[in-house]
Amino acid sequence: MKMLKVSLGDRSYPIWIGSGVNRLQSCWQEALAPGRVALVTNDCVGPLYAEAIAQQLREWKFSVVVIQLPDGEQTKDWQHLNLIFDQLMAHRFERGETLVALGGGVIGDMAGFAAACYQRGMRFVQVPTTLLAQVDSSVGGKTAINHPLGKNMIGAFYQPAAVLIDTDTLATLAPREFSAGLAEVIKYGCILDAEFFSWLEQSIDALLARDPAALTTAITRSCELKAQVVAADERESGLRAILNFGHTFGHAIEAGLGYGSWLHGEAVGCGMVLAADLSHRLGGITAEQQQRIVRLVARAGLPVAPPKWPAARYLDLMSHDKKAQSGRIRYVVLRSMGAAETSAVESELITKVIEKAIASGSDSGA
Ligand code: NAD
Ligand code: GLY
């Protein structure tokens, strides 16, 4: 069992990582306020894990109300957020009681936003059950719902009081979802830790086999790196933007194909392939390092060829990105392997990157 800390002054919190964390009384007792727990989950994760957790918490003298929402990114909206508030109100939950998010990034983001708003902020605990949520979305306090005109456009920075990462929950995760989470793990190696990247190259088969020791190492290092970035720049005024490596291209793919066609992590994987080429053209990484990124993304089971659209379509889609400033698109690029920065890049160069990726790609999936 590992414990990391996200250092944010009086809002600092622990991240517990390991097999069986969700069965540990000491982790839960430290995470929860005395009294009642609203356990927010969905109709996929709920039947797998919620009842066992609720029963165990009841044995430890917590009173638990399970709030089960339908599954899916399309539920990350006002209407479903309101279903959480309806239950909190109906059961007269108070600010000092705890809301627990049990699920992937959709539940974590939506329940976190509910916790941020309900009575101006109730205690909140993340229990992430997808690899993506365990290495990324549960840490750092970004909470949100989608608006019909934009993803994650309505939300708040609201840090949890604790994150409980039980690697056992990954046993039931679909292979495609697992690979999507690996994209974010690979991202940390590219932008912050070249040694970790090399370890991932050596350990990718063990990770795909969901070897518990390999998983714990990968999740722990990812959370450590994310915690460092969040501690340095909680509200993304600078450094935190590097966590979006591959995401500008990836968001264009997601938006252009229609959300849900490719998973977010799949689009990020392919986006990192494009961002690696861009980084090479800007002199940050060698051709060999660029190819290592492409190979690792492919070995993780992620697409490396983007949809075959004209570069102008990508540029248009990317102009709507949240990181565009005064109409200029900023890209996260590698200064070297394991170090990243943001940079405004001429659209001519982006066009070359996209055209080369399309020409060398076998199948676009579009
Ligand atoms: P998700 O929450 O939709 O989960 C993927 C699927 O796996 C769902 O069907 C879910 O019910 C199911 N699932 C979850 N845990 C499972 C388990 N243990 N076993 C079997 N099935 C399980 O998707 P996600 O990839 O976890 O998260 C994507 C969301 O996260 C997006 O909405 C994205 O915007 C958000 N996100 C937020 C941040 C952040 O910093 N807050 C970062 C990255 C992504
Ligand atoms: N997922 C990017 C961030 O948390 O900033």
Side-chain angles (χ1 to χ4, degrees):
M1 203 74 47
K2 310 256 175 161
M3 197 277 269
L4 307 172
K5 196 168 165 191
V6 183
S7 298
L8 288 166
D10 60 3
R11 290 173 297 110
S12 298
Y13 53 94
I15 306 172
W16 294 95
I17 304 165
S19 164
V21 160
N22 285 349
R23 296 190 297 279
L24 277 189
Q25 187 172 3
S26 55
C27 292
W28 281 103
Q29 230 135 15
E30 196 186 298
L32 303 176
R36 290 185 306 165
V37 175
L39 184 61
V40 180
T41 189
N42 69 25
D43 56 18
C44 167
V45 178
L48 292 170
Y49 301 109
E51 200 36 58
I53 289 176
Q55 194 181 328
Q56 190 184 254
L57 293 179
R58 287 178 188 124
E59 278 166 23
W60 300 332
K61 307 290 178 241
F62 291 96
S63 165
V64 183
V65 174
V66 177
I67 302 176
Q68 190 165 296
L69 302 174
D71 189 12
E73 180 75 33
Q74 73 284 356
T75 67
K76 204 174 154 184
D77 61 11
W78 274 118
Q79 286 73 25
H80 292 87
L81 180 72
N82 218 27
L83 295 178
I84 303 178
F85 294 137
D86 288 348
Q87 291 292 314
L88 294 174
M89 291 292 290
H91 289 90
R92 297 174 189 272
F93 267 89
E94 294 174 5
R95 186 191 291 149
E97 297 176 309
T98 314
L99 187 151
V100 174
L102 174 71
V106 168
I107 283 292
D109 279 15
M110 192 156 53
F113 188 41
C117 299
Y118 186 74
Q119 296 194 3
R120 302 193 182 90
M122 71 185 289
R123 190 175 176 89
F124 172 49
V125 171
Q126 286 270 21
V127 184
T129 60
T130 62
L131 182 57
L132 180 136
Q134 296 187 348
V135 299
D136 187 1
S137 62
S138 66
V139 174
K142 281 190 180 175
T143 73
I145 55 167
N146 300 327
H147 184 276
L149 297 180
K151 197 166 144 56
N152 292 331
M153 278 295 171
I154 303 180
F157 284 96
Y158 192 67
Q159 301 293 342
V163 182
L164 272 51
I165 299 178
D166 189 337
T167 53
D168 291 356
T169 60
L170 298 178
T172 51
L173 195 62
R176 208 177 147 196
E177 296 289 352
F178 187 82
S179 287
L182 283 176
E184 303 288 354
V185 178
I186 294 169
K187 173 190 80 177
Y188 292 114
C190 293
I191 61 171
L192 287 162
D193 188 345
E195 213 176 294
F196 181 48
F197 187 89
S198 301
W199 180 86
L200 288 171
E201 290 177 310
Q202 289 151 25
S203 310
I204 189 70
D205 292 335
L207 287 168
L208 287 167
R210 306 194 196 184
D211 172 74
L215 277 177
T216 300
T217 302
I219 294 167
T220 303
R221 188 62 188 142
S222 299
C223 287
E224 246 166 28
L225 292 165
K226 178 146 190 191
Q228 285 167 13
V229 171
V230 169
D233 178 24
E234 184 184 6
R235 289 180 173 249
E236 201 167 312
S237 48
L239 177 72
R240 188 164 177 170
I242 66 168
L243 297 177
N244 292 314
F245 180 62
H247 285 56
T248 306
F249 293 111
H251 285 156
I253 295 172
E254 282 184 277
L257 288 175
Y259 287 99
S261 176
W262 281 20
L263 297 176
H264 173 72
E266 292 172 332
V268 167
C270 189
M272 287 193 293
V273 167
L274 292 161
D277 182 26
L278 178 60
S279 304
H280 171 52
R281 287 171 190 263
L282 292 170
I285 56 172
T286 64
E288 169 54 19
Q289 288 168 328
Q290 178 202 343
Q291 282 312 309
R292 284 173 63 198
I293 294 174
V294 178
R295 280 197 298 271
L296 187 55
V297 168
R299 284 180 68 200
L302 296 160
V304 292
K308 290 178 178 156
W309 302 324
R313 172 137 198 245
Y314 280 92
L315 288 166
D316 179 50
L317 287 163
M318 290 191 291
S319 69
H320 301 292
D321 194 271
K322 282 209 281 302
K323 289 177 297 307
Q325 278 173 0
S326 317
R328 297 193 73 191
I329 305 168
R330 295 190 70 80
Y331 297 85
V332 182
V333 292
L334 302 180
R335 268 191 283 122
S336 61
M337 204 60 188
E341 63 189 3
T342 57
S343 174
V345 182
E346 296 299 327
S347 44
E348 288 74 20
L349 189 56
I350 301 298
T351 299
K352 283 184 188 158
V353 167
I354 292 165
E355 287 176 348
K356 182 181 161 212
I358 286 171
S360 57
S362 48
D363 178 31
S364 69

